[in-house]
Amino acid sequence: MGNRFQFKDRFAEGAQYIDGRLRPGTSGRSHTVVDPATGAEVLTYELAGTADVDEAVAAAKRAFPAWSAATPGERSDALHRLAAVLGEQAEDFAYAESLQCGKPIKLSTEFDVPGTIDNTAFFAGAARHLQGQAAAEYSGDHTSYVRREAIGVVGSIAPWNYPLQMAAWKILPAIAAGNTIVLKPAELTPLTSLMFAQAAKDAGLPDGVINIVTGAGRDAGEHLVGHPDVVMTSFTGSTAVGKRVAEIATATVKRLHLELGGKAPFLVFDDADLEAAAHGAVAASLINTGQDCTAATRAYVQRPLHDAFVARVAELMETVRLGDPFAPDTDLGPLVSHAQRDRVAGFVERARAYATVVTGGEIPGGDLAEGAYYRPTLISGAAQDSEVVQAEIFGPVLVVLPFDSDDEGIALANDTPYGLAASAWSRDVYRAGRATRELKAGCVWVNDHIPIISEMPHGGYKASGFGKDMSAYSFEEYTQVKHVMYDNTAVAAKDWHRTIFGDR
């Protein structure tokens, strides 16, 4: 891996990737990518303005006719090559992801990067299976079939918590279906999105198929979503910003896919394996320093297990090792920024007035004082309607609440505006089965929490949005369904015409 400042040279030409080349932004404003573990500058670049968005959309529009006309096999081959290039560059991607986000290198190396490579390989295969309904004579006199067609230029916005994976989740189904794309990553974390686009060029994808504009949301993001030549937008981020994206997209009658906030419940019944549930809760609440829309944030534990669960989770949290993200034994890195750390700390400090901070709840000093670190935090005794139970904290904080009956546990788990993910912990197959049916979330795990796979869809209920990332279901967002109907009779004056003119 290179040194921490290699990106100043790599992106010396600029941090906008338009029509196959890097260039500077034209907004007149700059932004600095900061290593959240040290506060050191990684890269200062010029932000995109509306003119850059216009040029990126124009490049995607020019590339669309040829790319959409490529055979599924040709697009599949290109994505297989991209998967191979990503594999060859895996170490660089892991380094860049940890540098800009503060992720422990073991998470980037074992989760973010291999997950992205697998996702690319999946869509390489899925590109050859864009099938409609089989041909048949449904009317008796006609043959009908369904075509799936690319929709055009997609304009998508990705968040800062999983920059590489979210870029892939936006780009891959779009281009596998024959669309072209302009992606706006978060300005905090643009490095791996730009590297992904460069890897696609290395793999032989045509210029203009993938474009990256790195700018502020109110400027580049809103202009991209509202652009008249963008026919669909996919956004991952907060529910509040998602509402604004929806307003802009609706005004121009665009297709819209939203993956928004989450407040995932972790529902532990009294027959659950306590040790498994405690380990699962620590891992699921602390993944990516809690900056995960599907992270376990609310643990509802049936009363007979509640106190033992709290004690065991606290004990395990206290073993978690904070440190340099590039140290192989570091478990928990910093939050993405000092502002995010302070936001998380604010939630915990306010909670002290109405709940108990069992462990954590502090900013570490010493060697970690310069970074955006926050200790793993467990809170108990909060009310269901309290801020820490209802609001998305997006940090290493787990709140534990008791429940009595199964009915109460499921009702409490569903009692937030969100519905992205949930888990149920029980040895009873019928109890677990009921939970999978009644928990209002797009993904429900049983006796686990967090694993995702390329073959299965990811997306939410309620205020967590709509539409799916990953899996073949994502093609519903990125393809147009067309019904084609052939007359089989060769009769000029058809019988149904008499309902409009003439006599039978």
Side-chain angles (χ1 to χ4, degrees), residues 17-108:
Y17 189 83
I18 299 172
D19 207 13
R21 68 180 184 88
L22 291 170
R23 44 172 285 179
T26 61
S27 70
R29 293 180 293 113
S30 63
H31 182 82
T32 299
V33 178
V34 173
D35 176 354
T38 65
E41 176 191 347
V42 175
L43 173 71
T44 296
Y45 65 92
E46 294 154 334
L47 290 162
T50 57
D52 303 302
V53 173
D54 290 341
E55 292 199 28
V57 172
K61 187 176 181 180
R62 288 193 300 272
F64 175 73
W67 182 248
S68 61
T71 67
E74 289 168 338
R75 292 198 294 269
S76 175
D77 288 347
L79 290 176
H80 277 300
R81 294 194 301 270
L82 175 56
V85 171
L86 293 173
E88 293 164 1
Q89 299 177 8
E91 189 177 17
D92 289 340
F93 274 97
Y95 173 75
E97 197 75 338
S98 287
L99 181 64
Q100 66 182 352
C101 300
K103 296 175 188 281
I105 193 66
K106 66 179 181 180
L107 182 65
S108 295

Side-chain angles (χ1 to χ4, degrees), residues 424-499:
W425 297 73
S426 173
R427 291 184 173 100
D428 185 326
V429 65
Y430 298 104
R431 215 173 194 184
R434 178 192 175 188
T436 64
R437 293 189 300 273
E438 296 186 14
L439 288 170
K440 302 305 181 187
C443 177
V444 179
W445 293 280
V446 176
N447 295 326
D448 207 345
H449 192 118
I450 284 297
I452 54 174
I453 50 176
S454 297
E455 291 83 357
M456 289 292 114
H458 178 87
Y461 285 29
K462 303 189 290 186
S464 291
F466 48 82
K468 300 299 179 185
D469 287 309
M470 299 197 298
S471 83
Y473 290 98
S474 65
F475 286 133
E476 300 299 324
E477 321 303 327
Y478 296 100
T479 57
Q480 184 67 268
V481 173
K482 177 187 288 184
H483 171 212
V484 179
M485 196 174 200
Y486 283 91
D487 171 60
N488 293 330
T489 66
V491 174
K494 294 178 171 58
D495 186 57
W496 74 268
H497 293 175
R498 307 303 176 230
T499 64

Side-chain angles (χ1 to χ4, degrees), residues 189-212:
T189 55
L191 302 179
T192 47
S193 298
L194 292 163
M195 291 168 63
F196 189 93
Q198 291 175 312
K201 184 178 180 71
D202 293 343
L205 272 75
D207 292 346
V209 171
I210 300 172
N211 305 274
I212 309 293

Side-chain angles (χ1 to χ4, degrees), residues 41-332:
E41 176 191 347
V42 175
L43 173 71
T44 296
Y45 65 92
E46 294 154 334
L47 290 162
T50 57
D52 303 302
V53 173
D54 290 341
E55 292 199 28
V57 172
K61 187 176 181 180
R62 288 193 300 272
F64 175 73
W67 182 248
S68 61
T71 67
E74 289 168 338
R75 292 198 294 269
S76 175
D77 288 347
L79 290 176
H80 277 300
R81 294 194 301 270
L82 175 56
V85 171
L86 293 173
E88 293 164 1
Q89 299 177 8
E91 189 177 17
D92 289 340
F93 274 97
Y95 173 75
E97 197 75 338
S98 287
L99 181 64
Q100 66 182 352
C101 300
K103 296 175 188 281
I105 193 66
K106 66 179 181 180
L107 182 65
S108 295
T109 301
E110 299 179 30
F111 181 72
D112 296 73
V113 174
T116 300
I117 295 169
D118 183 74
N119 212 227
T120 307
F122 170 80
F123 279 106
R128 303 186 81 138
H129 296 281
L130 281 168
Q131 298 172 345
Q133 194 169 2
E137 287 69 47
Y138 295 97
S139 77
D141 291 337
H142 305 82
T143 297
S144 288
Y145 69 89
V146 170
R147 290 176 54 87
R148 281 195 179 273
E149 298 179 348
I151 57 175
V153 177
V154 175
S156 293
I157 300 174
W160 49 256
N161 57 332
Y162 289 101
L164 176 59
Q165 290 204 77
M166 295 298 99
W169 286 15
K170 303 301 182 198
I171 292 169
L172 291 169
I175 67 173
N179 305 294
T180 55
I181 189 168
V182 179
L183 175 76
K184 192 198 88 66
E187 56 266 41
L188 285 174
T189 55
L191 302 179
T192 47
S193 298
L194 292 163
M195 291 168 63
F196 189 93
Q198 291 175 312
K201 184 178 180 71
D202 293 343
L205 272 75
D207 292 346
V209 171
I210 300 172
N211 305 274
I212 309 293
V213 290
T214 53
R218 289 193 177 275
D219 300 325
E222 293 198 2
H223 191 64
L224 177 61
V225 173
H227 199 289
D229 289 332
V230 169
V231 299
M232 182 262 185
T233 192
S234 176
F235 169 80
T236 295
S238 71
T239 297
V241 177
K243 290 177 181 178
R244 176 60 180 155
V245 169
E247 289 174 3
I248 299 169
T250 301
T252 50
V253 197
K254 286 180 174 33
R255 282 196 178 202
L256 184 61
H257 165 219
L258 297 175
E259 198 267 88
L260 306 176
K263 191 70 177 175
F266 189 98
L267 186 60
V268 182
F269 295 103
D270 58 14
D271 67 330
D273 181 327
L274 176 62
E275 194 68 7
H279 278 81
V282 172
S285 63
L286 300 184
I287 184 172
N288 202 37
T289 318
Q291 299 166 126
D292 187 311
C293 297
T294 64
T297 60
R298 301 176 290 136
Y300 295 98
V301 185
Q302 209 150 24
R303 205 169 293 275
L305 287 185
H306 176 271
D307 291 351
F309 179 88
V310 170
R312 184 60 175 140
V313 169
E315 183 179 41
L316 290 171
M317 279 190 170
E318 288 164 6
T319 71
V320 172
R321 299 163 296 188
L322 281 69
D324 179 358
F326 293 96
D329 60 350
T330 291
D331 297 321
L332 198 74

